[in-house]
Amino acid sequence: MTLELFSQYLLAGVTYGIIYAIVGIGFNIIYNTTGIINFAQGEFVMLGGMTAISLTQWLPLPLAIGAAVVVVMLIGALVEILFIRWLDRPSVLRMIIITIGISILIREAALHIWGDGVRSLPYFAGNEITTIQVLGARVSPQVLWVIGVCAVMVLALSLFFKYTLQGKKMQACAANRMAATLCGISTKNMVTLSFMLSAGIGALAGCVMSPITYTQYDIGTGLAIKGFTVAILGGLGSSMAAVTAGLLLGLIEAFSVSVVPLAFQDAIAITLLLAILFFRPHGLFGSKDAAGLKEF
Amino acid sequence: MKRHLPLALLVLTAIGVQQLTHATGTAFYLTPLTMAAYYSLVIVGLCLLMGYAGQISLGHAGFFAIGGYLSAMLTTRDLTPYQDNPVLVLLDKLGCTVTGQDMFGGAVLHVHPWAAFACAILITIAVAYGIGIPVLKLKGHYLAMATLGFGIIVYRLVLASPLFGEADGISEVPAFPLFPGLAVSGGFESRVSNYYLAWGMVACAMWLLANLIHSRVGRALRAIHGAEDATNAMGVNTARYKLNTFVISAVLAAVAGIFLTHYNGGIGPSEAGIMKSVRYVAIVAIGGMANLWGALVMGSLLNIMSLRGMFGSYDDAVFGLILIVIMLFAPRGLLGLSLPQGLKRLLKRGE
């Protein structure tokens, strides 16, 4: 393998990997405050891209993306308030089925609103044939946008959880819901906030990836599976480990292109998921004892 | 005796419906009714797994597809080039092959449907054990995601393999001669006999499952659903019970897949899709999880409505909505709603 080819695969892997990482972090944020895996996580990414594409008719690109993120955050809050907030200690099976139902409804709504065509946002800089040279590989500047925006998002999230009051409240909920309630934190509001937050980061990722990966009404399921793989691989609940796991999955996928036919590429992530579930369900970086205490 | 009452009711309803379509000249309803019967086989099997053993499976369309696709592939692909292969020679000696002619008059060699059936079922059992042993150790979200992953892998494989016809699926699957004079086929003239055949299979499956859940096994399964650790402590081998239930429901799905494929004369990748698996789960949920008859009734109704195209382009959306509404407001199923009590309360308020 030449150096050029190697860095080409490397950049492709990092681009996809960081998107998977964002979806995986979205899973973790909601899981930490509620103990629920939100099967509709991938739909937020799709909604972000689709809404932004529609809004570019009336708004300049940056405003359209900003507005799309806000809209999807509101949808995330709405989903939580309508379907989850008022349930009293629901069983895991019930929550799985409800979030699957939500994902189907969002997908079908998108199908009827936007049709089944493939859409995309315009490139943020240049156009589809603009390339720049990085490490000997020729890539679209959009790749740098994706990596840059997602990296900033990861950084901002970790600062949010560490230094702001809201972030600390959410962490308190994740650590011990009962104790957080006793300290006067409204756990219900924290759950709504976690849905908004993970919808928001999903939507922003959906916008920046749209020019290169395209947006279609049914991309959510595939992204959700990969995001979940990443969340499990890193150890469920740990956001920063999800970034490492996301990059790992992205790189494995990118480099496997030279060995495995493209049609089977999705199967790689799923095989990895099954292998992790069977052999190390607490994740590569998670502790087995801590995982034993969690309910799922 | 009371236990056999629903079964008798099922047989009577099946006969009644056929007579009704005959009398009113609406025999075209028999086709969706027959297809709904085969889908019901998947649903009651999944009901046993979800409702009684308490294990969710989001990959049952995968087992349906394994059965349907293997049977379709073995009975349609021409094996003439492999004629001298020892396996094929053995099959030939055992009378498990059929020869025919293709559209140009050339000789073709297929596997006999019964041999294909046996092969498909054996592979389904092997896959179900292979998947079930590691998967059933998982719980909750992990189990759901692992079974979903299995379903997607099957879908991807049939979509990517030229052997299984890729996006086109397999068509021109021959009729399945069950006994002399009785074949599973979509022919116009055999519509009535196929209708009875399909519902006869459903009745057999219901009889077997009803007996199973009223036996020692059924009690063990319900105990697992209630409290797995406690059941283990009582000396019940919970892992084995869960695994065997998983395999039984997988086999039922595969049988349904095989016969529906021969009835329709083909199978496409959408039968292996995630939405199909989710749809089966939705129907089991609306039937009330641990309620075989509820699942059968709701499954037949919804499948007939869906097959008749009543939901139009909102087909998947309807099933998504059903999932949410049932799980939010009636987690014990539509038939589990205590309607009489609710009515009583309303009447009292009226006084």
Side-chain angles (χ1 to χ4, degrees):
Chain A
M1 192 182 287
T2 61
L3 185 67
E4 284 78 31
L5 199 59
F6 179 81
S7 40
Q8 199 84 49
Y9 282 145
L10 186 75
L11 279 169
V14 171
T15 313
Y16 279 93
I18 201 143
I19 291 170
Y20 300 155
I22 294 291
V23 183
I25 292 174
F27 272 117
N28 281 331
I29 292 175
I30 292 182
Y31 176 79
N32 275 341
T33 48
T34 60
I36 296 171
I37 292 290
N38 172 26
F39 278 70
Q41 192 64 39
E43 265 60 39
F44 291 145
V45 180
M46 180 272 294
L47 276 180
M50 283 296 194
T51 316
I53 293 164
S54 291
L55 288 175
T56 46
Q57 290 173 9
W58 303 289
L59 296 172
L61 188 63
L63 273 183
I65 291 175
V69 171
V70 172
V71 167
V72 177
M73 282 172 88
L74 291 179
I75 293 175
L78 198 68
V79 162
E80 198 274 333
I81 290 166
L82 278 182
F83 300 120
I84 290 159
R85 194 182 186 91
W86 52 276
L87 288 179
D88 184 35
R89 299 191 130 268
S91 71
V92 169
L93 186 65
R94 207 167 153 202
M95 284 324 300
I96 293 173
I97 296 181
I98 288 175
T99 54
I100 290 175
I102 294 169
S103 83
I104 296 171
L105 281 193
I106 295 180
R107 194 162 59 231
E108 290 296 307
L111 176 63
H112 282 91
I113 295 170
W114 289 293
D116 60 357
V118 175
R119 293 155 165 253
S120 71
L121 277 176
Y123 280 74
F124 292 7
N127 53 33
E128 55 266 38
I129 51 167
T130 318
T131 57
I132 46 169
Q133 201 145 8
V134 184
L135 304 168
R138 303 196 72 85
V139 292
S140 160
Q142 190 67 31
V143 165
L144 300 185
W145 271 104
V146 174
I147 298 174
V149 168
C150 290
V152 169
M153 252 196 287
V154 171
L155 203 65
L157 275 177
S158 62
L159 291 178
F160 171 77
F161 282 122
K162 225 174 204 161
Y163 295 110
T164 66
L165 187 60
Q166 292 297 329
K168 283 183 180 169
K169 278 185 185 174
M170 283 177 77
Q171 292 231 302
C173 281
N176 189 332
R177 221 167 305 165
M178 180 69 89
T181 316
L182 287 173
C183 290
I185 297 170
S186 163
T187 44
K188 294 215 160 179
N189 286 348
M190 286 304 117
V191 173
T192 315
L193 187 65
S194 72
F195 267 80
M196 288 176 73
L197 200 58
S198 78
I201 60 169
L204 187 54
C207 291
V208 289
M209 68 187 255
S210 175
I212 40 176
T213 62
Y214 304 117
T215 311
Q216 206 179 359
Y217 79 100
D218 61 353
I219 58 167
T221 318
L223 279 171
I225 287 279
K226 287 183 185 160
F228 185 78
T229 309
V230 164
I232 295 286
L233 197 59
L236 203 53
S238 155
S239 287
M240 289 313 120
V243 177
T244 322
L247 293 178
L248 194 65
L249 177 63
L251 289 174
I252 292 174
E253 274 195 358
F255 281 97
S256 68
V257 166
S258 51
V259 200
V260 187
L262 198 61
F264 295 107
Q265 214 191 5
D266 274 0
I268 293 173
I270 296 164
T271 316
L272 193 67
L273 170 66
L274 292 179
I276 282 287
L277 285 177
F278 298 158
F279 299 115
R280 247 188 111 79
H282 46 283
L284 285 183
F285 315 113
S287 116
K288 195 171 183 175
D289 301 329
L293 291 172
K294 286 186 179 155
E295 43 179 314
F296 36 72
Chain B
M1 193 59 232
K2 206 179 152 198
R3 229 162 65 198
H4 300 298
L5 204 62
L7 202 63
L9 213 61
L10 172 68
V11 175
L12 286 179
T13 315
I15 297 172
V17 168
Q18 192 269 322
Q19 291 300 327
L20 193 69
T21 56
H22 183 69
T24 53
T26 48
F28 54 83
Y29 273 114
L30 288 181
T31 308
L33 280 166
T34 312
M35 289 168 74
Y38 289 126
Y39 283 125
S40 298
L41 281 181
V42 190
I43 286 157
V44 291
L46 187 61
C47 182
L48 180 74
L49 181 68
M50 274 178 65
Y52 292 89
Q55 310 298 311
I56 192 172
S57 166
L58 288 171
H60 254 53
F63 290 116
F64 182 94
I66 289 178
Y69 263 104
L70 279 177
S71 184
M73 190 266 288
L74 289 171
T75 52
T76 53
R77 292 285 177 259
D78 180 21
L79 297 170
T80 322
Y82 313 103
Q83 220 157 13
D84 301 325
N85 190 306
V87 180
L88 211 62
V89 172
L90 183 71
L91 277 178
D92 206 25
K93 286 227 176 80
L94 291 171
C96 293
T97 53
V98 276
T99 48
Q101 279 187 335
D102 64 9
M103 55 202 283
F104 307 111
V108 288
L109 185 67
H110 302 306
V111 177
H112 189 272
W114 269 118
F117 177 90
C119 176
I121 294 296
L122 283 177
I123 291 180
T124 305
I125 291 174
V127 171
Y129 272 113
I131 290 287
I133 289 170
V135 156
L136 291 172
K137 284 185 191 148
L138 306 168
K139 288 193 184 73
H141 297 122
Y142 288 6
L143 178 65
M145 270 294 180
T147 50
L148 184 67
F150 162 72
I152 295 178
I153 287 186
V154 173
Y155 177 66
R156 288 282 158 201
L157 287 182
V158 298
L159 205 57
S161 314
L163 188 63
F164 296 119
E166 294 175 335
D168 295 331
I170 300 177
S171 56
E172 291 177 30
V173 178
F176 192 131
L178 277 181
F179 318 106
L182 191 57
V184 177
S185 75
F188 192 75
E189 62 291 338
S190 55
R191 203 151 57 179
V192 176
S193 66
N194 262 286
Y195 167 82
Y196 279 116
L197 199 63
W199 283 100
M201 281 185 215
V202 173
C204 283
M206 289 308 283
W207 182 70
L208 286 173
L209 291 181
N211 278 335
L212 187 71
I213 58 176
H214 284 104
S215 69
R216 194 185 157 83
V217 178
R219 286 191 293 277
L221 289 180
R222 261 167 296 171
I224 293 173
H225 195 177
E228 193 173 328
D229 291 337
T231 317
N232 243 331
M234 293 298 288
V236 178
N237 188 343
T238 55
R240 207 182 63 205
Y241 276 108
K242 285 197 293 186
L243 185 61
N244 287 340
T245 314
F246 187 72
V247 175
I248 290 172
S249 73
V251 167
L252 272 173
V255 169
I258 294 170
F259 286 123
L260 188 61
T261 302
H262 284 276
Y263 181 70
N264 284 344
I267 186 169
S270 74
E271 289 295 348
I274 310 163
M275 267 317 295
K276 280 279 173 180
S277 297
V278 172
R279 171 174 299 199
Y280 299 141
V281 172
I283 290 171
V284 172
I286 193 176
M289 295 289 188
N291 185 346
L292 278 179
W293 291 102
L296 179 65
V297 171
M298 297 316 296
S300 322
L301 281 179
L302 285 170
N303 269 321
I304 291 164
M305 286 163 81
S306 167
L307 288 165
R308 288 289 299 162
M310 283 188 193
F311 306 134
S313 63
Y314 294 95
D315 208 35
D316 286 343
V318 166
F319 282 94
L321 196 66
I322 287 173
L323 267 185
I324 297 185
V325 171
I326 288 293
M327 278 293 125
L328 285 180
F329 301 110
R332 295 175 61 201
L334 205 57
L335 304 175
L337 280 176
S338 45
L339 206 59
Q341 275 181 12
L343 278 178
K344 258 184 220 160
R345 219 176 300 146
L346 273 180
L347 287 176
K348 260 187 194 161
R349 214 172 279 166
E351 285 165 11

